[in-house]
Amino acid sequence: MTGMQLPEFVQRDVELASRTTLALPGKATFWAEISNVDQLRQVVGSSALRRFVLGSGSNLVFSGDFDGLLLHMAIGGRELIGEDDDAWYVRAGAGENWHQLVSWTLEQGWPGLENLALIPGTVGAAPIQNIGAYGLEVADRFLSLEALDMPSGRLLRLDRTACRFAYRDSVFKQQGWHLDACRVITRVTFRLPKAWQPLTAYTDLAAELDRQQTTHPTAQEIAAAVIAVRRRKLPDPTVVPNAGSFFHNPLVDGVVAERLRWTHPDLPCYPQPDGRVKLAAGWLIEHSGWKGRDLGCVGMYEKQALVLVNRGGAQGAEVIALARAVQADVRARFGVELTPEPVIL
Ligand code: EPU
């Protein structure tokens, strides 16, 4: 098909349904399991192909077949690479499971990642969309990462500033690294401060700790409470396929938020340092009549309207159609634009 030489470990015509948490059907023309940097260097010559790096597929929508090369990130390993008076420094391979990393650091007695327990996905994907939950973002515990610059074959090191983190955003998304696999994240290093402070202000988390009558929670107890909240509100992708929040919480001008609050006093609003206000997309979707409502084989989850779920047998096109319908209704009712959070291919 391409006339190019692909290494032997590249497979052909690989089914995708079991490779993403939304379980949409499709196939990839080429698929490579990447366990080390050397294998990445071997696929550099595939640049004529469309390429994409896939972790555990928990933030991804395949709208159909993928005619190109999928690089399945499986670089493993996790270790304490250093320690000083202020912090522990932990490095992990991009293919490591995120939640397993969180659990392992807590078992070792290095707190700091507990609020991010049970987030699906891999370590390498975490900085791309700056994963966050319950008052913490990965940027808050990030030291640096290594990425392979595919054209030159050189390993780059990016620190926190170079990553330009923002709400569910980073330089990788801003420059489209995640879309053409021009630079591929291989390892990430975290900085876990020894002066640990529990972060328990997030409403759902505070309520859960209250329920458990935990007044001075340990990091392990916070992780357990986060897990309990997530299990109660968010569908388990192995039971009800989904990709987590399907839209970003929209950031709007302060004046726009004020106007909306005037007509909808219970709309949850989170003022940002730059004067903008973050709105709760789940609330907007619920109040547009979509909570628990289906369109074809997909729907918006009954316990959390921000999560789009596959009720069974859905096609990529149905996901796109539902997303558009929800966007149109939220726009018509509130004048607010919702943007999808997962990558849509
Ligand atoms: N809400 C509703 N109806 C709903 C859902 C939410 O009214 O159906 C209201 C809630 O009552 C609350 C507000 O919206 O007042 C916020 O809801 P919630 O605390 O459940 O969080 P979220 O803003 O919907 C975000 C993240 C989640 C993360 C949680 C907890 C985004 C896009 N989503 O959701 O992240 O777990 O906060 O920190 O920022 C993900 O990114 O995939 C994800 C699950």
Side-chain angles (χ1 to χ4, degrees):
M1 172 203 159
T2 58
M4 74 185 58
Q5 283 288 317
L6 286 168
E8 262 176 30
F9 59 85
V10 174
Q11 297 165 250
R12 279 177 170 268
D13 296 329
V14 170
E15 286 300 328
L16 294 176
S18 62
R19 318 276 181 158
T20 69
T21 58
L22 252 173
L24 299 171
K27 68 177 177 15
T29 315
F30 301 103
W31 172 278
E33 200 72 12
I34 302 295
S35 306
N36 55 56
V37 174
D38 217 50
Q39 284 177 317
L40 267 183
R41 291 202 169 101
Q42 290 180 53
V43 298
V44 165
S46 66
S47 57
L49 286 173
R50 185 180 179 204
R51 278 191 315 225
F52 184 79
V53 182
L54 174 123
S56 48
S58 55
N59 200 43
L60 191 56
V61 178
F62 282 117
S63 50
D65 291 339
F66 184 84
D67 187 16
L69 171 61
L70 282 179
L71 302 170
H72 180 235
M73 178 47 65
I75 296 177
R78 51 189 192 206
E79 57 182 323
L80 181 74
I81 56 161
E83 179 182 350
D84 57 24
D85 290 345
D86 300 329
W88 293 280
Y89 302 90
V90 172
R91 186 169 63 195
E96 286 285 331
N97 174 278
W98 174 260
H99 177 67
Q100 282 171 15
L101 175 74
V102 174
S103 306
W104 177 72
T105 53
L106 293 174
E107 281 157 23
Q108 304 302 309
W110 311 323
L113 297 176
E114 56 281 355
N115 292 51
L116 305 180
L118 212 63
I119 296 184
T122 55
V123 165
I128 296 179
Q129 65 147 343
N130 185 19
I131 57 168
Y134 308 103
L136 186 74
E137 289 181 340
V138 85
D140 301 324
R141 301 286 179 259
F142 178 92
L143 182 73
S144 64
L145 61 74
E146 280 171 22
L148 187 75
D149 179 58
M150 296 288 270
S152 68
R154 277 184 25 234
L155 273 175
L156 311 174
R157 181 180 178 279
L158 276 83
D159 64 13
R160 197 169 181 274
T161 311
C163 289
R164 305 215 310 245
F165 290 120
Y167 166 61
R168 292 295 191 278
D169 198 25
S170 66
V171 71
F172 318 112
K173 286 177 87 172
Q174 293 148 19
Q175 298 187 351
W177 287 24
H178 66 308
L179 290 181
D180 61 7
C182 178
R183 288 172 171 178
V184 179
I185 296 170
T186 53
R187 291 199 293 194
V188 184
T189 303
F190 303 91
R191 179 181 183 279
L192 307 176
K194 290 188 173 172
W196 177 74
Q197 291 285 339
L199 294 174
T200 57
Y202 198 95
T203 314
D204 279 352
L205 179 56
E208 179 62 29
L209 289 164
D210 243 24
R211 256 163 47 114
Q212 297 176 3
Q213 299 185 330
T214 315
T215 42
H216 298 289
T218 63
Q220 297 261 17
E221 284 167 340
I222 293 174
V226 164
I227 290 169
V229 174
R230 291 190 74 98
R231 290 217 165 112
R232 205 162 44 238
K233 282 195 128 179
L234 299 168
D236 175 351
T238 62
V239 181
V240 181
N242 72 87
S245 298
F246 200 85
F247 298 100
H248 291 110
N249 282 327
L251 286 162
V252 299
D253 205 79
V255 181
V256 174
E258 187 96 344
R259 181 174 53 75
L260 283 167
R261 278 282 263 210
W262 186 252
T263 41
H264 308 281
D266 55 343
L267 165 66
C269 291
Y270 312 99
Q272 303 297 297
D274 64 2
R276 290 187 298 171
V277 175
K278 200 194 270 180
L279 307 177
W283 189 98
L284 296 169
I285 296 168
E286 177 174 347
H287 290 82
S288 300
W290 277 104
K291 191 170 187 169
R293 187 169 147 202
D294 292 356
L295 186 68
C297 297
V298 289
M300 304 311 292
Y301 192 54
E302 40 284 5
K303 295 184 201 157
Q304 223 299 7
L306 190 47
V307 180
L308 186 154
V309 293
N310 177 355
R311 303 281 184 200
Q315 303 281 325
E318 292 177 273
V319 172
I320 311 288
L322 174 58
R324 290 205 177 125
V326 170
Q327 283 171 312
D329 284 355
V330 169
R331 190 184 304 124
R333 197 169 170 82
F334 299 105
V336 174
E337 205 54 47
L338 293 183
T339 52
E341 199 204 57
V343 177
I344 299 176
L345 292 176

